C-alpha cells in the first residue's frame, strides 16, 4: 500500500483465498497480514544483526492501528541495538514505578532545586504511581496519559503539573533506551486552562490575622514568627522556612539560592523587630527553629491551617501572604517595577499579574481627586442669606 494504514483501510481489507500482507506506506516493514479466514494480524519485518526477522505484533481489533504501529517502533528501536524480542529477555521490562524511581533518584537531584524535588516526588507518589505505576514503560499509550490527566480535572493546576512531570519522565525514558525515540505519549494531550488564583488580605483581615497570631505566640512561636515575616517581607515560604542566621544582616536578608537565584531582601523596622525577638542558640543555625535541638520547622502548612481557621480565613493559602504584600505596596503607590524587585521577580510578566490592582488604585485616586474638584466646580454656591446664588446663564 502507498498510504498510511488506518482503521478504515484495515477494516476494508478482504480475504482473497490466500494469506496476504499489506504494507504500511508510512513505516517501512510494518503491515497487516490478512488470513484466508479473514483474520487480520499486525506484523513487522526487519533485520536484527543482519538477519531478516518477522515479528507478530497482535490481532486487529484488540489492537488499534496506532497501538500496533507504536509497538512496531519499539521493536525497531531494539532491533537497531541488535536486540531480538523473540529471544527471552535477560532483564524484565521496566515498569512506570521504576521510571519514577530512577527519575527522582538519578535526574532530579542533579538538575533541580530541593523544593522542586519535593514537588516532583509528590506528583510521582500521589498521582502517577497509583494510576499507571504497574504498567510497563513501553506499553503506556496516549489514552493512559489522557485518562490520568482527566482524572485530575477538578484541580487543573495539579493536572497540568503532573502532565509536565510525565512528559519529562518519558523524554528521559527515550534517552535511557526504555522507549523508542519520538514516542512520548504525553504529546498532544491538551492542558487544562488555569485561572490565576488571586487572594489578598484586606486591612481588616490583616488586623484579624495579627490578633490570632498574638494569641498563638506561646503555643507555636516559630510558626507565628514565620507567618509574620512572610507578610512583612513578601518572601516565598521556602525562603523563610529554610532561612539561616548567617543570611540575616542588619537591614536585609541575603538569599544565596532562591527560586530565581541569589537576591537581597530589604528588612523594614517591623520585620527586624520580629527577627530580634527570636531566640538564637549557638547549636542551631536556623531562624525558624524546630522543637528538636539544631532543627528547623519544616512543616508550616499544619500550623497555618490552625491559624487561618481561628482567623476565619479558610480560603487563604500561605502563598497569599506574598500576594498581600504586593497588593498593599500597590495601594501605597509603589510601581510594578519596584514591587518586582521587592519580590525577586526576574521577568516583568510575573509582576504584571498585579497590574489590575494598580488600575484599581489609579481609579480610587481619580475618584478622590474628581470628588474634590467637583465639590467646587459643580456645587451651587450660597449667597450671604444662605440661599443658592442665582445661576449665571
Amino acid at each position: 500500500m502507498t498510504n498510511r494504514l488506518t482503521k478504515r483501510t484495515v477494516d476494508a481489507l478482504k480475504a482473497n483465498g490466500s494469506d496476504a500482507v499489506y504494507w504500511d506506506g508510512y513505516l517501512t516493514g510494518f503491515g497487516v497480514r490478512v488470513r484466508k479466514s479473514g483474520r487480520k494480524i499486525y506484523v513487522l519485518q526487519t533485520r536484527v544483526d543482519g538477519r531478516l526477522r518477522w515479528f507478530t505484533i497482535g490481532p486487529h481489533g484488540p489492537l488499534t492501528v496506532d497501538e500496533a504501529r507504536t509497538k512496531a517502533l519499539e521493536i525497531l528501536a531494539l532491533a537497531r541495538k541488535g536486540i531480538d524480542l523473540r529471544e527471552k529477555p535477560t532483564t524484565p521490562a521496566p515498569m512506570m514505578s521504576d521510571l519514577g524511581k530512577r527519575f527522582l533518584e538519578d535526574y532530579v537531584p542533579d538538575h533541580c532545586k530541593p523544593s522542586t524535588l519535593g514537588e516532583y516526588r509528590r506528583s510521582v507518589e500521589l498521582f502517577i504511581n497509583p494510576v499507571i505505576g504497574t504498567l510497563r514503560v513501553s506499553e503506556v499509550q496516549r489514552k493512559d496519559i489522557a485518562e490520568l490527566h482527566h482524572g485530575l480535572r477538578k484541580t487543573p493546576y495539579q493536572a497540568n503539573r503532573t502532565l509536565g512531570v510525565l512528559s519529562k519522565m518519558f523524554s528521559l525514558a527515550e534517552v535511557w533506551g526504555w522507549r523508542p525515540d519520538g514516542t512520548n505519549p504525553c504529546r498532544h494531550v491538551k492542558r487544562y486552562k488555569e485561572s490565576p488564583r488571586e487572594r489578598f488580605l484586606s486591612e481588616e483581615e490583616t488586623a484579624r490575622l495579627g490578633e490570632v497570631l498574638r494569641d498563638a505566640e506561646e503555643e507555636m512561636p516559630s510558626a507565628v514568627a514565620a507567618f509574620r515575616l512572610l507578610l512583612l517581607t513578601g518572601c516565598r515560604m521556602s525562603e523563610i522556612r529554610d532561612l539561616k542566621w548567617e543570611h540575616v544582616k542588619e537591614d536585609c536578608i541575603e538569599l544565596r539560592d532562591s527560586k530565581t537565584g541569589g537576591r537581597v531582601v530589604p528588612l523594614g523596622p517591623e520585620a527586624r523587630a520580629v527577627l530580634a525577638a527570636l531566640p538564637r542558640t549557638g547549636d542551631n543555625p536556623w531562624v525558624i527553629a524546630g522543637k528538636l535541638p539544631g532543627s528547623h520547622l519544616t512543616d508550616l502548612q499544619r500550623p497555618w491551617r490552625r491559624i487561618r481557621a481561628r482567623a476565619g480565613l479558610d480560603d487563604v493559602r500561605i502563598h497569599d501572604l506574598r500576594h498581600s504584600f504586593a497588593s498593599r505596596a500597590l495601594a501605597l503607590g509603589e510601581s510594578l517595577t519596584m514591587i518586582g524587585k521587592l519580590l525577586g521577580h526576574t521577568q516583568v510578566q510575573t509582576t504584571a499579574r498585579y497590574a489590575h490592582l494598580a488600575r484599581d488604585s489609579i481609579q480610587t485616586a481619580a475618584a478622590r481627586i474628581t470628588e474634590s474638584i467637583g465639590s467646587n466646580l459643580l456645587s451651587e454656591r450660597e449667597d450671604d442669606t444662605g440661599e443658592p446664588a442665582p445661576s449665571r446663564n
Side-chain angles (χ1 to χ4, degrees):
M1 299 182 67
T2 58
N3 297 324
R4 182 188 180 105
L5 286 176
T6 65
K7 181 179 184 301
R8 179 177 296 178
T9 57
V10 175
D11 286 341
L13 295 175
K14 306 295 183 184
N16 59 8
S18 61
D19 289 359
V21 177
Y22 299 87
W23 301 107
D24 183 34
Y26 173 77
L27 181 61
T28 303
F30 173 61
V32 59
R33 184 192 300 276
V34 181
R35 299 288 191 186
K36 290 187 293 184
S37 62
R39 188 165 181 256
K40 300 165 185 175
I41 303 170
Y42 293 107
V43 296
L44 177 69
Q45 178 183 263
T46 189
R47 291 186 179 276
V48 182
D49 283 340
R51 296 173 295 177
L52 189 64
R53 291 286 184 264
W54 280 83
F55 298 90
T56 299
I57 297 175
H60 174 62
L63 276 180
T64 66
V65 180
D66 288 340
E67 290 171 343
R69 187 179 285 108
T70 298
K71 289 181 177 291
L73 285 167
E74 294 170 4
I75 296 171
L76 286 170
L78 293 173
R80 294 189 190 102
K81 299 177 182 179
I83 301 174
D84 190 341
L85 276 184
R86 299 185 309 176
E87 299 176 1
K88 187 175 180 180
T90 55
T91 57
M95 314 293 283
M96 281 300 299
S97 57
D98 299 322
L99 177 59
K101 185 173 184 291
R102 184 171 179 182
F103 170 68
L104 293 174
E105 294 180 356
D106 293 356
Y107 174 82
V108 177
D110 293 334
H111 297 85
C112 305
K113 293 181 180 294
S115 58
T116 305
L117 170 59
E119 294 174 8
Y120 285 176
R121 185 180 303 280
R122 182 171 180 268
S123 289
V124 170
E125 295 179 353
L126 295 184
F127 306 114
I128 297 174
N129 282 349
V131 180
I132 59 174
T134 57
L135 296 180
R136 299 191 187 280
V137 176
S138 60
E139 294 176 348
V140 177
Q141 303 291 323
R142 186 175 298 143
K143 64 179 182 180
D144 300 314
I145 304 301
E147 288 175 3
L148 188 155
H149 188 241
H150 180 72
L152 297 170
R153 63 191 180 279
K154 292 183 179 179
T155 51
Y157 176 87
Q158 186 61 63
N160 294 341
R161 298 295 84 73
T162 301
L163 181 63
V165 173
L166 276 167
S167 183
K168 184 59 185 179
M169 287 169 58
F170 281 111
S171 295
L172 291 170
E174 294 180 13
V175 173
W176 295 333
W178 289 9
R179 279 184 73 98
D181 291 344
T183 64
N184 192 326
C186 297
R187 292 180 60 196
H188 307 304
V189 176
K190 188 175 181 180
R191 285 167 167 75
Y192 291 115
K193 182 179 179 180
E194 298 178 29
S195 300
R197 185 186 186 280
E198 294 178 350
R199 177 67 166 90
F200 312 99
L201 293 176
S202 66
E203 291 188 25
E204 186 276 329
E205 288 174 328
T206 304
R208 201 161 72 227
L209 174 61
E211 184 177 347
V212 171
L213 290 176
R214 283 191 293 274
D215 293 340
E217 272 189 285
E218 291 187 10
E219 178 187 352
M220 50 181 90
S222 290
V224 167
F227 300 141
R228 284 172 173 165
L229 288 171
L230 287 169
L231 195 48
L232 289 169
T233 63
C235 283
R236 300 176 179 88
M237 179 179 68
S238 60
E239 293 171 345
I240 295 299
R241 181 195 62 200
D242 302 334
L243 182 63
K244 291 185 177 181
W245 284 114
E246 63 182 280
H247 302 147
V248 179
K249 308 305 177 183
E250 183 178 353
D251 60 352
C252 68
I253 296 173
E254 294 181 354
L255 297 174
R256 299 173 185 173
D257 188 24
S258 69
K259 182 178 180 181
T260 55
R263 71 184 184 98
V264 175
V265 180
L267 295 173
E270 291 74 16
R272 293 200 297 268
V274 172
L275 287 166
L278 290 173
R280 298 196 190 197
T281 57
D283 60 345
N284 194 341
W286 305 99
V287 173
I288 307 302
K291 292 183 178 180
L292 298 177
S295 69
H296 73 299
L297 195 60
T298 58
D299 181 12
L300 288 175
Q301 294 293 349
R302 186 175 299 178
W304 175 248
R305 286 193 289 270
R306 295 161 63 185
I307 291 293
R308 71 181 183 183
R310 296 175 189 177
L313 301 170
D314 291 310
D315 64 329
V316 178
R317 306 166 303 171
I318 292 180
H319 196 67
D320 294 329
L321 301 180
R322 179 172 163 87
H323 293 167
S324 299
F325 177 90
S327 69
R328 185 65 68 91
L330 276 167
L332 294 173
E334 297 296 340
S335 67
L336 288 175
T337 301
M338 177 58 70
I339 292 170
K341 291 180 179 179
L342 291 171
L343 296 179
H345 291 164
T346 57
Q347 297 181 348
V348 177
Q349 296 90 330
T350 308
T351 316
R353 66 183 300 182
Y354 302 111
H356 72 285
L357 292 176
R359 290 193 294 271
D360 292 344
S361 298
I362 293 172
Q363 186 66 33
T364 302
R368 290 197 305 268
I369 295 168
T370 55
E371 180 185 8
S372 176
I373 295 175
S375 65
N376 303 128
L377 180 67
L378 303 177
S379 298
E380 294 184 354
R381 292 186 301 108
E382 294 182 351
D383 59 19
D384 294 338
T385 64
E387 297 295 329
S391 176
R392 298 179 180 179
N393 292 328

